[in-house]
C-alpha cells in the first residue's frame, strides 16, 4: 500500500512538473501587454522595374502612413461595423474566444492543423502587436494558447475602449494603410471623422482579406463584402434595414493621398501578389528586393499617351458639350511570355473626381466588338466539337448574310441585332464581317458556334469572368458579357504568338536582404489553346487594311507604320470602348470610359481608345525591327469568286485570293452568276415561243433567298421576271410573315382587359412576286383576306402556343405560301 502511495505521488509530481514546464514554455517569454505601444522598425522592401529602377520602397508602416486617432474621433458607425464583423460580443467577452480555444484543442488532439479565424478583437491585437512575425504566421496549438493568454492579460490591463482603439489604429486595411485614419485617406481621400456609414462598412470588411476585397482592383467584390457587413450590423441592432438600403445606394468615390510612387496601379497589383506569396510581414521585416516585369520607359510612354488623348477628349467635351469621358486604362504585354510591360489603371491615381485609385485595367467592363475575334476563331477551328477532323464551320471566304434577322434565344424572346451604322450590308465574307466589325454576321456566327463553345474557348484563353456561360445569350457576340482589360489583352496575345495561352505576370524575381533568391518566374510556353493556323487567320484578317477600309477608311489610327493586327469595340450604351492590337513583339489593350459606369457620348473605339493605342504602339516600337508574322505550315491560298467565295467560273466578274487551312478551300464552282435567256425586245426572260433571233444569253447574279430583297434594293444585277410575273430563280417562300418574329414570348396582363391585349399579324410578298390575294391564318383558322397591301390584322392574345401562316395566289392563280411563324403566350 505504501509502495502504491509512493507511485501515485511520483505520478502526480511528474504531472505537476510537466505542467510547470509547459506553462513555462507558454508564458515565460511572453511580452508585457504594456509593449503594445512599442513598434520595431523593420527593413524596407523595394519594388523595381525590370532594369532595376525604383518604383516604390515599402517602409515600416508605423514610420509611414500610420496616424493613430482617439477612439472618440472615430465615427460610431465605424466602431459598430468593426465589432459586428470581427467580434460581436466584444464588450462582454473576457478577451478570448473560449469556444475557439476548445475547438483548437480538439483539432490538435485529432492531429489536425489549427486554422486561423474565430479570434476576438483582443486576440487579434495580441497576435499582431505582441507576437513575433515568425510566431504570428504559425498555425499551432501553442501559438493559439500563447495568443489567448496575452489577450486575457490585455483585457485585464486595458479597458475595452482602449483595446478597440488599438485595433482600429493598428489593423491593416490593405494598400499600405495601417489604421483606420490611413485607410480613410488611402481609399477615400478624407479623414476618418468624415466617413459615412457606407464607407465605414466597406472599410470594416477589409481586414479579414485586404487583397481579396480590395475596392481599387475589384470594386464589385468589395461592394458585396460591404453588404455582408451592413447585414451583420442589422443583426446586432446597430442600424435599420432602411439605413442599409440608403448605404447600398451611396456612390463611393475612391481616392488616394499623394505620395512618391511610380506606376502606382502596377505597384499595388504586385503588392497584392507579394502579400499572397510571402505574407504582409515579410515586406516589412525581410528587406525583399522585387524585380518586376515593368519597363519604366514604356510606362511613362503609356501614361503620357493616356493623359494627352484624354485631355483632347475633355477639351472637345467642353467646347461641344459632348463626349462626357474622363478615364482610361492601358495594358501592354510581351505576347510571348505574358510579362506586363506597362499598366495604367487611370490617368491620375490621386484624382478622386475620376476614382483614379481604382485600377480600371482589372475592373469588369463590357468589351463590345472586341470579343468578336474569339467568336470567329471558334468558327475557323477545324477540330470543333461535333465536327469531323479537318472540318470547320467557316473559312475567311464563307458568305454570311448581313440582313435583318430575328434569332431565337434561351429566354424565348427573339433577338434582332443592328449594325453600328444601322445599315445592312447583304452577303459579306467572314473576312469582311470581322474586319469591318459587322454585328449581324457576328451574331449569326455565334448562333452557329454556340455560346457554350465560345465561353469554353474564352476560358482556355485566360478570360475568367464568363464562368460556365449559362447566363449569356447571343448578345455576348456584341460584348454582352464583362471582361478585364488585362485578361482580354492576354487573350489577344494567343493570336500573336501562334495560339499559346498567356498568363499575365508582374514579378521576375524576389531576393531577400542577404541576396538569397526567394522566387523566380518560370518563363515556359503556355498551353496550346488555339490551332496555330486559326491564330494566323485571325491575325491576317485583323491586319488587313483593305478589308477594314469600308468601315474605318484607310490611314486611320488603326494603321501603324508597320504591320499590326487590331480590333476595336464599343458597348451598345457607350459606357466602354476599346482598342486591342498587337505585333509579334507587343500586345496592347486600351479601355476608355468612366469609372462610375456613366455613359459617354458618341465616343467609339476609333475615337476614344484608338488614338491612345496608336500613339503608344508607335512610340513603344520605335527603333525596333519590323518582325513579320510567321505563317505556320498547313495553310494555302486559293482564288475565289466574289461574293460567293466559291471557285471562279468564266461568268465571275471579280475574284480575290483568300487564305485557307489546308483542306477547307472550296471545291464547288460559283453558282451565283448564272446565264439566262433574255428576250431583247422586252428585257424579260424569254418564253418558249420567243423568236430565236430575239433571244440572247446574259449573266445575272442569283443570291440566297434571304438576301434577294436586299440585293434588289441595292441594285444588284438580278435576273428579270417572265412576262407573267414569275421570277427568274427561286428565292425562298413567295410570302413572308413580317410580324410577329418567330419565337416571340408574350405574357398576358391581369390589369388590362383581354380585348385590348392584341398584336399585329402582318405579311408581305417576296420581292418580285405579284399577288392577287392573301389570307392570314392563326392556328389554321383564317383571320382576314386581302387583295391589296397592307396585309395585316390585329389578333387578340390567348394563352398557349400559336402558329401564323400566310396563304394566297398570284395573278395566274398559282398558290403562294409563307413559312410558318410560332409564338408563345404566357398566362397572367
Amino acid at each position: 500500500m505504501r509502495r502504491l502511495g509512493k507511485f501515485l505521488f511520483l505520478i502526480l509530481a511528474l504531472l505537476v512538473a510537466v505542467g510547470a514546464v509547459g506553462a513555462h514554455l507558454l508564458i515565460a517569454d511572453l511580452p508585457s501587454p504594456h509593449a503594445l505601444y512599442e513598434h520595431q522598425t523593420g527593413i524596407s522592401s523595394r519594388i523595381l522595374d525590370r532594369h532595376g529602377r525604383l518604383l516604390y520602397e515599402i517602409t515600416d508602416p508605423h514610420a509611414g502612413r500610420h496616424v493613430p486617432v482617439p477612439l472618440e474621433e472615430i465615427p460610431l458607425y465605424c466602431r459598430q461595423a468593426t465589432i459586428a464583423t470581427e467580434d460581436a460580443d466584444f464588450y462582454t467577452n473576457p478577451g478570448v474566444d473560449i469556444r475557439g480555444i476548445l475547438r483548437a484543442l480538439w483539432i490538435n488532439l485529432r492531429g489536425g492543423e489549427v486554422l486561423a479565424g474565430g479570434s476576438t478583437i483582443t486576440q487579434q491585437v495580441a497576435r499582431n502587436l505582441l507576437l513575433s512575425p515568425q510566431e504570428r504566421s504559425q498555425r499551432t496549438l501553442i501559438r493559439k494558447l500563447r495568443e489567448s493568454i496575452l489577450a486575457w492579460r490585455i483585457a485585464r490591463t486595458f479597458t475595452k475602449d482602449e483595446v478597440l482603439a488599438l485595433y482600429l489604429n493598428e489593423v491593416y486595411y490593405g494598400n499600405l494603410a495601417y489604421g483606420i485614419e490611413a485607410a480613410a485617406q488611402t481609399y477615400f481621400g478624407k479623414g476618418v471623422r468624415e466617413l459615412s456609414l457606407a464607407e465605414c462598412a466597406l472599410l470594416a470588411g477589409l481586414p479579414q482579406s485586404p487583397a481579396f476585397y480590395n475596392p481599387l482592383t475589384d470594386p464589385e467584390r468589395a461592394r458585396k463584402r460591404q453588404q455582408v457587413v451592413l447585414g451583420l450590423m442589422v443583426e446586432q441592432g446597430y442600424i435599420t434595414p432602411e439605413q442599409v438600403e440608403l448605404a447600398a445606394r451611396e456612390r463611393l468615390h475612391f481616392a488616394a493621398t499623394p505620395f512618391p510612387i511610380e506606376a502606382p496601379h502596377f505597384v499595388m497589383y504586385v503588392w497584392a501578389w507579394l502579400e499572397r506569396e510571402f505574407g504582409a510581414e515579410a515586406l516589412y521585416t525581410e528587406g525583399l528586393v522585387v524585380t518586376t516585369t515593368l519597363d519604366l520607359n514604356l510606362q511613362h510612354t503609356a501614361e503620357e499617351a493616356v493623359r494627352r488623348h484624354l485631355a483632347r477628349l475633355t477639351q472637345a467635351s467642353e467646347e461641344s458639350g459632348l463626349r462626357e469621358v474622363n478615364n482610361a486604362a492601358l495594358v501592354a504585354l510581351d505576347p510571348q511570355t505574358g510579362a506586363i510591360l506597362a499598366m495604367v489603371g487611370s490617368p491620375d491615381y490621386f484624382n478622386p473626381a475620376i476614382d483614379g485609385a481604382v485600377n480600371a485595367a482589372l475592373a469588369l467592363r463590357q468589351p463590345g466588338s472586341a470579343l468578336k475575334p474569339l467568336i470567329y476563331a471558334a468558327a475557323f477551328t477545324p477540330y470543333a466539337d461535333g465536327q469531323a477532323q479537318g472540318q470547320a464551320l467557316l473559312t475567311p471566304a464563307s458568305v454570311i448574310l448581313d440582313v435583318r434577322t430575328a434569332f431565337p434565344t434561351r429566354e424565348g424572346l427573339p433577338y434582332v441585332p443592328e449594325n453600328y451604322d444601322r445599315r445592312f450590308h447583304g452577303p459579306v465574307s467572314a473576312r469582311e464581317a470581322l474586319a469591318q466589325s459587322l454585328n449581324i454576321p457576328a451574331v449569326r456566327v455565334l448562333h452557329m458556334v454556340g455560346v457554350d463553345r465560345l465561353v469554353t474557348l474564352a476560358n482556355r484563353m485566360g478570360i475568367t469572368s464568363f464562368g460556365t456561360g449559362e447566363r449569356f445569350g447571343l448578345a455576348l457576340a456584341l460584348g454582352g458579357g464583362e471582361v478585364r482589360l488585362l485578361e482580354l489583352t492576354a487573350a489577344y496575345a494567343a493570336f500573336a504568338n501562334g495560339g499559346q495561352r498567356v498568363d499575365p505576370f508582374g514579378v521576375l524575381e524576389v531576393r531577400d536582404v542577404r541576396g538569397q533568391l526567394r522566387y523566380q518566374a518560370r518563363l515556359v510556353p503556355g498551353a496550346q489553346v488555339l490551332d496555330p493556323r486559326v491564330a494566323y487567320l485571325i491575325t491576317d484578317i485583323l491586319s488587313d487594311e483593305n478589308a477594314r477600309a469600308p468601315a474605318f477608311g484607310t490611314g486611320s489610327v488603326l494603321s501603324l507604320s508597320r504591320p499590326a493586327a487590331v480590333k476595336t469595340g464599343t458597348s451598345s450604351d457607350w459606357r466602354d470602348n476599346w482598342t486591342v492590337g498587337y505585333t509579334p513583339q507587343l500586345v496592347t489593350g486600351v479601355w476608355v470610359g468612366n469609372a462610375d459606369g456613366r455613359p459617354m457620348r458618341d465616343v467609339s473605339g476609333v475615337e476614344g481608345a484608338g488614338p491612345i493605342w496608336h500613339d503608344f504602339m508607335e512610340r513603344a516600337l520605335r527603333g525596333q525591327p519590323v518582325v513579320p508574322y510567321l505563317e505556320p505550315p498547313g495553310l494555302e491560298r486559293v482564288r475565289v469568286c466574289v461574293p460567293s467565295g466559291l471557285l471562279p467560273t468564266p461568268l465571275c466578274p471579280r475574284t480575290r485570293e483568300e487564305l485557307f487551312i489546308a483542306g477547307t478551300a472550296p471545291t464547288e464552282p460559283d453558282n451565283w452568276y448564272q446565264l439566262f435567256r433574255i428576250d431583247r425586245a422586252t428585257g424579260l426572260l424569254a418564253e418558249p415561243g420567243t423568236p430565236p433571233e430575239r433571244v440572247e444569253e446574259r449573266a445575272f447574279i442569283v443570291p440566297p433567298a434571304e438576301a434577294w430583297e436586299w440585293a434588289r434594293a441595292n441594285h444588284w444585277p438580278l435576273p428579270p421576271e417572265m412576262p407573267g410575273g414569275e421570277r427568274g430563280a427561286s428565292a425562298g417562300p413567295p410570302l413572308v410573315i413580317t410580324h410577329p418574329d418567330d419565337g416571340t414570348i408574350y405574357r398576358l396582363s391581369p390589369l388590362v382587359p383581354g380585348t385590348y391585349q392584341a398584336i399585329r399579324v402582318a405579311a408581305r410578298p417576296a420581292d418580285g412576286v405579284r399577288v392577287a390575294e392573301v389570307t392570314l391564318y392563326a392556328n389554321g383558322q383564317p383571320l382576314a383576306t386581302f387583295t391589296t397591301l397592307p396585309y395585316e390584322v390585329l389578333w387578340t392574345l390567348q394563352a398557349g402556343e400559336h402558329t401564323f401562316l400566310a396563304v394566297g395566289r398570284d395573278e395566274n392563280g398559282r398558290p403562294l405560301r409563307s413559312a410558318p411563324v410560332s409564338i408563345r403566350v404566357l398566362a397572367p
Side-chain angles (χ1 to χ4, degrees):
M1 189 71 179
R2 183 178 296 176
R3 288 182 178 179
L4 178 61
K6 287 183 177 180
F7 178 75
L8 292 175
F9 176 77
L10 289 173
I11 293 295
L12 180 62
L14 181 62
L15 290 174
V16 170
V18 170
V21 171
H24 178 76
L25 291 174
L26 280 174
I27 66 176
D29 61 344
L30 282 178
S32 166
H34 294 286
L36 282 172
Y37 293 97
E38 300 173 4
H39 300 288
Q40 180 180 3
T41 301
I43 305 172
S44 298
S45 292
R46 293 179 297 151
I47 298 179
L48 313 176
D49 90 330
R50 61 173 44 238
H51 302 297
R53 289 170 290 192
L54 182 66
L55 301 178
Y56 187 75
E57 185 168 1
I58 304 172
T59 58
D60 176 14
H62 299 101
R65 280 189 294 159
H66 177 245
V67 185
V69 292
L71 185 66
E72 58 270 18
E73 294 186 15
I74 299 174
L76 180 60
Y77 283 141
C78 289
R79 290 177 262 163
Q80 292 172 333
T82 298
I83 291 170
T85 305
E86 298 292 340
D87 189 359
D89 58 351
F90 168 73
Y91 277 104
T92 58
N93 66 42
V96 295
D97 178 10
I98 303 298
R99 285 176 297 181
I101 296 173
L102 294 176
R103 184 168 59 251
L105 283 167
W106 174 248
I107 292 173
N108 187 73
L109 290 172
R110 297 182 63 185
E113 181 183 49
V114 178
L115 300 177
S119 298
T120 64
I121 285 176
T122 313
Q123 285 176 262
Q124 292 182 58
V125 169
R127 179 170 66 247
N128 294 333
L129 298 183
L130 293 180
L131 295 182
S132 69
Q134 294 75 19
E135 185 175 5
R136 196 179 305 157
S137 62
Q138 295 173 1
R139 294 183 175 182
T140 64
L141 177 62
I142 294 297
R143 196 274 292 162
K144 192 76 172 178
L145 292 175
R146 283 167 59 84
E147 169 193 302
S148 300
I149 293 169
L150 281 173
W152 187 83
R153 287 181 174 180
I154 290 170
R156 273 133 198 86
T157 305
F158 300 98
T159 67
K160 288 289 185 179
D161 282 353
E162 288 174 328
V163 174
L164 182 61
L166 273 170
Y167 177 86
L168 289 170
N169 280 304
E170 302 294 338
V171 70
Y172 182 52
Y173 288 91
N175 284 289
L176 323 183
Y178 278 79
I180 196 164
E181 171 67 21
Q185 294 289 348
T186 294
Y187 292 107
F188 303 115
K190 61 174 72 172
V192 66
R193 304 165 188 78
E194 304 173 70
L195 294 178
S196 66
L197 168 59
E199 292 164 338
C200 285
L202 185 133
L203 292 183
L206 297 181
Q208 284 192 12
S209 184
F212 186 75
Y213 296 119
N214 186 354
L216 304 185
T217 58
D218 199 331
E220 184 59 30
R221 182 181 290 161
R223 270 287 195 182
K224 290 178 181 177
R225 176 65 173 161
Q226 177 202 48
Q227 295 306 301
V228 171
V229 173
L230 290 170
L232 292 172
M233 293 180 73
V234 172
E235 289 181 14
Q236 296 301 315
Y238 293 139
I239 58 176
T240 66
E242 290 74 22
Q243 288 174 292
V244 170
E245 187 175 345
L246 288 173
R249 291 203 303 263
E250 182 176 326
R251 168 82 177 89
L252 299 181
H253 294 277
F254 296 108
T257 303
F259 55 91
I261 188 172
E262 293 277 9
H265 294 98
F266 176 76
V267 167
M268 298 308 168
Y269 172 81
V270 169
W271 187 294
W273 181 87
L274 290 169
E275 285 189 353
R276 292 194 299 269
E277 291 294 315
F278 299 100
E281 287 300 326
L283 302 180
Y284 310 121
T285 61
E286 298 183 19
L288 301 180
V289 178
V290 183
T291 301
T292 70
T293 59
L294 192 91
D295 185 317
L296 194 55
N297 290 336
L298 290 184
Q299 177 70 20
H300 289 160
T301 298
E303 291 169 350
E304 182 183 350
V306 166
R307 290 168 184 158
R308 183 172 60 251
H309 185 61
L310 274 181
R312 291 197 200 110
L313 288 175
T314 302
Q315 182 178 1
S317 180
E318 292 174 352
E319 293 173 355
S320 64
L322 299 175
R323 304 300 188 182
E324 297 290 337
V325 55
N326 59 30
N327 214 330
L330 182 150
V331 168
L333 306 176
D334 179 341
Q336 307 304 319
T337 66
I340 301 172
L341 303 176
M343 176 186 283
V344 180
S346 77
D348 185 354
Y349 183 83
F350 300 107
N351 185 352
I354 62 170
D355 289 334
V358 174
N359 190 347
L362 305 179
L364 288 171
R365 309 295 299 221
Q366 290 196 348
S369 296
L371 197 65
K372 288 175 182 173
L374 277 70
I375 301 171
Y376 284 87
F380 292 161
T381 299
Y383 308 110
D385 296 339
Q387 300 294 316
Q389 185 171 346
Q391 298 298 311
L393 294 173
L394 291 177
T395 72
S398 297
V399 174
I400 308 172
L401 298 183
D402 184 10
V403 295
R404 184 187 185 278
T405 310
F407 296 92
T409 65
R410 292 177 179 176
E411 298 78 18
L413 298 172
Y415 175 50
V416 185
E418 288 186 334
N419 287 317
Y420 182 81
D421 59 5
R422 304 297 176 89
R423 296 172 51 232
F424 302 115
H425 302 84
V428 294
S429 68
R431 174 179 292 273
E432 294 167 324
L434 175 56
Q436 296 171 34
S437 196
L438 301 178
N439 289 345
I440 297 170
V443 178
R444 282 181 176 269
V445 175
L446 181 56
H447 187 56
M448 288 190 291
V449 168
V451 172
D452 292 341
R453 188 178 297 170
L454 171 62
V455 169
T456 298
L457 177 61
N459 289 340
R460 293 180 63 205
M461 295 177 72
I463 294 176
T464 63
S465 53
F466 289 161
T468 60
E470 294 178 354
R471 57 194 175 97
F472 297 115
L474 293 177
L476 188 59
L478 311 184
E482 291 183 323
V483 300
R484 295 176 176 85
L485 175 63
L486 179 61
E487 292 185 350
L488 184 62
T489 305
Y492 272 65
F495 296 131
N497 66 28
Q500 292 179 338
R501 174 178 171 133
V502 160
D503 291 308
F505 69 99
V507 176
L508 289 172
E509 70 170 33
V510 179
R511 294 183 181 271
D512 62 21
V513 69
R514 296 178 300 278
Q516 296 288 328
L517 186 65
R518 297 285 302 276
Y519 168 85
Q520 188 168 37
R522 296 178 63 244
L523 303 180
V524 297
Q528 193 76 34
V529 294
L530 273 179
D531 186 313
R533 299 169 298 176
V534 172
Y536 188 83
L537 288 180
I538 297 297
T539 295
D540 189 64
I541 293 172
L542 295 185
S543 58
D544 187 342
E545 187 168 8
N546 290 330
R548 185 169 62 228
F552 299 96
T554 58
S556 72
V557 294
L558 304 183
S559 301
L560 301 183
S561 57
R562 64 179 68 207
V566 60
K567 184 72 187 73
T568 62
T570 303
S571 61
S572 58
D573 52 9
W574 300 93
R575 296 180 191 274
D576 311 276
N577 70 60
W578 311 67
T579 299
V580 188
Y582 54 91
T583 67
Q585 307 110 301
L586 184 66
V587 55
T588 300
V590 178
W591 167 86
V592 169
N594 296 303
D596 60 3
R598 181 165 38 90
M600 300 170 286
R601 295 187 182 180
D602 299 326
V603 180
S604 67
V606 173
E607 297 166 313
I612 298 174
W613 177 85
H614 177 274
D615 291 356
F616 173 78
M617 290 289 285
E618 286 286 10
R619 293 188 61 187
L621 294 169
R622 186 179 299 164
Q624 295 192 35
V626 176
V627 178
Y629 301 107
L630 294 179
E631 181 177 324
L635 294 170
E636 60 181 346
R637 285 173 169 77
V638 175
R639 188 158 291 277
V640 298
C641 182
V642 178
S644 71
L646 300 174
L647 296 178
T649 69
L651 298 179
C652 184
R654 187 162 66 96
T655 65
R656 63 179 171 83
E657 190 177 75
E658 186 54 270
L659 190 63
F660 296 91
I661 293 175
T664 65
T667 57
E668 298 292 326
D670 174 71
N671 57 9
W672 286 38
Y673 286 97
Q674 300 178 20
L675 287 175
F676 290 86
R677 289 164 47 85
I678 303 298
D679 184 340
R680 283 197 296 264
T682 64
L684 301 177
L685 292 178
E687 297 184 274
T690 303
E693 64 273 14
R694 286 169 41 190
V695 176
E696 68 175 4
E697 287 191 331
R698 297 182 194 169
F700 295 92
I701 191 168
V702 183
E706 199 176 350
W708 191 279
E709 184 176 353
W710 179 91
R712 176 78 72 184
N714 284 270
H715 310 293
W716 275 25
L718 300 174
E721 302 168 352
M722 295 184 71
E726 184 178 345
R727 297 172 72 163
S730 173
L735 296 176
V736 179
I737 299 287
T738 59
H739 198 276
D741 285 322
D742 191 39
T744 303
I745 295 178
Y746 297 91
R747 182 182 292 277
L748 292 169
S749 170
L751 305 177
V752 179
T755 55
Y756 290 96
Q757 299 188 57
I759 62 170
R760 183 170 59 93
V761 179
R764 62 167 175 78
D767 191 55
V769 176
R770 298 181 180 180
V771 177
E773 181 181 277
V774 169
T775 300
L776 297 178
Y777 288 84
N779 305 317
Q781 300 299 316
L783 297 177
T785 300
F786 307 90
T787 56
T788 59
L789 287 168
Y791 312 143
E792 61 179 58
V793 65
L794 289 178
W795 177 77
T796 303
L797 293 173
Q798 304 167 27
E801 305 278 347
H802 305 283
T803 300
F804 300 94
L805 194 68
V807 176
R809 57 183 176 83
D810 66 11
E811 293 177 340
N812 297 319
R814 288 173 294 196
L816 307 173
R817 189 181 183 90
S818 73
V821 166
S822 297
I823 67 168
R824 184 151 56 105
V825 181
L826 303 179

